[in-house]
Amino acid sequence: MINPSIEVYLLDTRGNILAFSAASGKVKRRRVNLKPLLDMLDKNVTLPLRGDDPRDPTGKKVFTVARIPEQGRLQGYLYVILGGETYD
């Protein structure tokens, strides 16, 4: 069970959305801009920070992110929108 107020996305190293916790047709973007995610990971931010909302072609949402490594190599990112569409 996933917290209904968040949305979870699996991204590759270029920001392409590989998988998500949403019903079919809800996700409107194929990729997200990585700059805000990398800024968050590098702690080079003033909070709250907003990143691309995959469910809205022009929207931004507060998020958190984690790197997904495998044997020391970056495989992608876990991108979590806080206060997603259901929360709104």
Side-chain angles (χ1 to χ4, degrees):
M1 179 74 178
I2 295 176
N3 179 336
S5 68
I6 66 171
E7 298 166 7
V8 179
Y9 300 89
L10 177 63
L11 309 178
D12 69 10
T13 58
R14 295 183 178 176
N16 296 306
I17 299 171
L18 302 176
F20 48 85
S21 63
S24 179
K26 286 286 192 177
V27 175
K28 307 298 184 201
R29 295 183 195 229
R30 297 177 119 182
R31 68 179 307 275
V32 297
N33 180 352
L34 287 180
K35 181 165 181 0
L37 284 68
L38 298 175
D39 287 347
M40 173 76 84
L41 290 167
D42 291 337
K43 301 192 185 343
N44 182 27
V45 296
T46 301
L47 299 175
L49 184 62
R50 289 178 173 74
D52 289 342
D53 178 0
R55 294 187 187 202
D56 181 340
T58 60
K60 304 282 186 194
K61 292 279 189 164
V62 175
F63 70 92
T64 191
V65 64
R67 289 181 178 98
I68 301 174
E70 183 177 312
Q71 297 181 355
R73 291 189 55 215
L74 179 65
Q75 299 299 307
Y77 303 94
L78 185 64
Y79 181 54
V80 181
I81 299 293
L82 308 172
E85 183 180 62
T86 301
Y87 180 79
D88 289 345

